[in-house]
Amino acid sequence: MFHVKIKKKMIFVIATVSLITGCTLKNLQSQAKHQVDFFAMDTYMTITAYGTDGKSPLNQAKNEIKRVEREFSVTEENSTTAKLNAAGEDGIEVPEEYMELTKKALDVTEKTGGAFDLTIYPVLKLWGFTTGEYLVPNKVELRDALALTGFQKIQKDEENCRIALKGNAQVDFGGIAKGYAADRALEVLKKAGVSSAIVNLGGNVATLGTKPDGSLWSVAIRDPQTTDQYMGVLRVKDRAVVTSGGYERYFIDENGEKWCHIIDPSDGYPVKNDLLSVTIVNRESTTADALSTAMYVLGSEKAMEYWEKNGEFEMILLTTDGGVIATEGLKNLFSLMENYEGREIKFIQSEGAE
Ligand code: AMP
Ligand code: MG
């Protein structure tokens, strides 16, 4: 009798141990962190995912980003963009996703009065932003390049999935493609069963779910004036955080004047206004990317006006006078880093809000 009792006890102990081991293993697996780093779209990218069995879903997401790059890049010889830019007025048949992204870009163009403009490419080329051979063009050169731009030159035939560019126009998806790639990467991860991930495509950040322990992701916002430092932190889940700013790419001419890579389509000059950077927080990264570029072009006053009218997103504006403006939805989610705590965040409310 005695040893039977022991056996029962042992069985119970073994069962308990294996139950605990099973739980712990599962737990450990759901916490397991995998990361891939790579270079694409002219920038360093990182994909981090939790709870995957290995790196396979992350590599699938990386391949998807590279596929998006091959499709939309203006410099890749065989990209649809290169073919479209070389096609002349008859245009070409484009993949459905190409038509969809063009439509999304044009939607932001329309809503922002042309601040976001895919056809700005000839002007970017003139300033040397495509080759690194920078120059400040004269007024005639600028006028001629500007004459090639204008979103009305993009003609879509949705039924036949064709796009044509009129008047020697050329397009460049540089202001929206990274955002789209981030959305695609999260989609691939989701399909592979991942529910907790963060992708950072050179400052274009997109998050899937929360961290594995249920807490929010922290996304640091760079200080545009001291770019090796961060000035604030955003806490988010299931959101993209996309920043545009002149500090990201610029050149300084022989007179010491700074010219950045974001062009104001209204005059063909690199943007010079009261903004240092714009951060957009939005569910979808594609729109966030187009909006961050467009709001940077608009300047703080018009950006705030735009948000008040169309504000289904959150926004942070850093201004040249040291100001930090954030939309009300970020009140509990955005805070300044310790060494910036002397500054004040001005929270703006949309009309009609309490
Ligand atoms: P982002 O870093 O997302 O603001 O995008 C900047 C990139 O978008 C530039 O390097 C150009 O390729 C392109 N770009 C510049 N100005 C504009 C503009 N006004 N509208 C659309 N794309 C632009
Ligand atoms: Mg952008």
Side-chain angles (χ1 to χ4, degrees):
M1 282 303 280
F2 178 70
H3 68 267
V4 170
K5 241 186 182 172
I6 286 187
K7 247 191 183 163
K8 263 192 186 162
K9 227 181 192 168
M10 267 177 66
I11 290 167
F12 175 74
V13 169
I14 289 166
T16 313
V17 167
S18 71
L19 237 164
I20 290 170
T21 318
C23 278
T24 315
L25 265 182
K26 216 170 160 214
N27 230 349
L28 277 178
Q29 202 182 20
S30 76
Q31 304 274 336
K33 177 182 171 182
H34 289 287
Q35 191 169 312
V36 296
D37 303 285
F38 54 100
F39 192 82
M41 296 181 155
D42 236 5
T43 189
Y44 288 97
M45 303 191 167
T46 306
I47 300 174
T48 311
Y50 291 84
T52 66
D53 241 348
K55 285 195 176 173
S56 165
L58 293 86
N59 284 326
Q60 285 172 37
K62 168 180 144 183
N63 291 340
E64 177 64 2
I65 291 170
K66 294 207 164 191
R67 187 194 65 76
V68 170
E69 180 179 23
R70 283 195 303 276
E71 186 64 49
F72 288 93
S73 164
V74 70
T75 48
E76 292 245 355
E77 232 175 276
N78 289 316
S79 71
T80 300
T81 302
K83 288 179 195 155
L84 180 60
N85 284 345
E89 301 220 339
D90 289 341
I92 56 167
E93 192 178 334
V94 298
E96 219 177 293
E97 85 167 329
Y98 201 93
M99 179 64 85
E100 286 311 307
L101 189 59
T102 305
K103 277 164 57 185
K104 274 197 179 155
L106 286 172
D107 188 43
V108 175
T109 304
E110 199 181 299
K111 284 192 183 145
T112 59
F116 186 84
D117 191 341
L118 291 177
T119 68
I120 205 65
Y121 189 57
V123 177
L124 270 175
K125 263 201 289 195
L126 179 64
W127 284 90
F129 282 107
T130 54
T131 56
E133 288 164 28
Y134 302 114
L135 74 98
V136 179
N138 64 39
K139 289 231 151 43
V140 177
E141 290 170 321
L142 205 52
R143 188 200 59 201
D144 292 349
L146 262 179
L148 302 173
T149 70
F151 62 91
Q152 304 87 341
K153 294 191 168 75
I154 303 173
Q155 304 210 329
K156 320 186 283 325
D157 169 0
E158 284 184 52
E159 209 170 302
N160 298 304
C161 220
R162 292 184 69 85
I163 300 180
L165 302 174
K166 300 294 171 187
N168 293 322
Q170 293 195 318
V171 288
D172 160 38
F173 285 76
I176 192 171
K178 267 189 254 157
Y180 176 63
D183 280 333
R184 288 298 316 147
L186 290 193
E187 203 50 45
V188 165
L189 289 172
K190 243 194 277 182
K191 277 211 176 110
V194 178
S195 56
S196 170
I198 181 163
V199 299
N200 184 348
L201 315 191
N204 271 54
V205 176
T207 61
L208 178 61
T210 61
K211 286 200 251 176
D213 64 2
S215 63
L216 302 178
W217 303 99
S218 296
V219 181
I221 308 298
R222 210 173 275 284
D223 176 354
Q225 281 167 318
T226 319
T227 52
D228 57 348
Q229 287 186 32
Y230 295 96
M231 54 90 55
V233 181
L234 263 168
R235 291 177 311 112
V236 291
K237 69 169 188 180
D238 279 320
R239 288 288 181 280
V241 178
V242 181
T243 300
S244 282
Y247 68 92
E248 287 176 326
R249 252 175 81 203
Y250 60 86
F251 72 94
I252 297 173
D253 70 15
E254 67 251 29
N255 302 318
E257 202 162 342
K258 211 167 168 177
W259 304 99
C260 79
H261 68 135
I262 301 174
I263 307 285
D264 184 342
S266 70
D267 62 8
Y269 278 91
V271 171
K272 268 189 200 193
N273 57 26
D274 68 337
L275 286 175
L276 291 173
S277 74
V278 175
T279 299
I280 303 288
V281 184
N282 190 43
R283 187 170 282 280
E284 199 201 47
S285 170
T286 308
T287 317
D289 194 357
L291 280 175
S292 69
T293 310
M295 295 302 111
Y296 189 73
V297 171
L298 289 181
S300 72
E301 284 287 313
K302 284 189 182 156
M304 286 192 279
E305 261 171 45
Y306 182 90
W307 176 78
E308 273 167 28
K309 275 197 204 127
N310 308 274
E312 284 159 357
F313 57 94
E314 304 296 337
M315 175 170 83
I316 301 166
L317 305 174
L318 304 185
T319 57
T320 47
D321 61 3
V324 184
I325 302 165
T327 53
E328 58 186 340
L330 298 178
K331 233 173 194 159
N332 299 317
L333 301 171
F334 179 54
S335 51
L336 295 172
M337 292 281 195
E338 238 169 58
N339 45 337
Y340 292 84
E341 272 170 1
R343 294 200 211 181
E344 219 172 281
I345 306 174
K346 182 181 159 202
F347 285 99
I348 54 166
Q349 291 204 330
S350 60
E351 263 171 47
E354 302 262 300

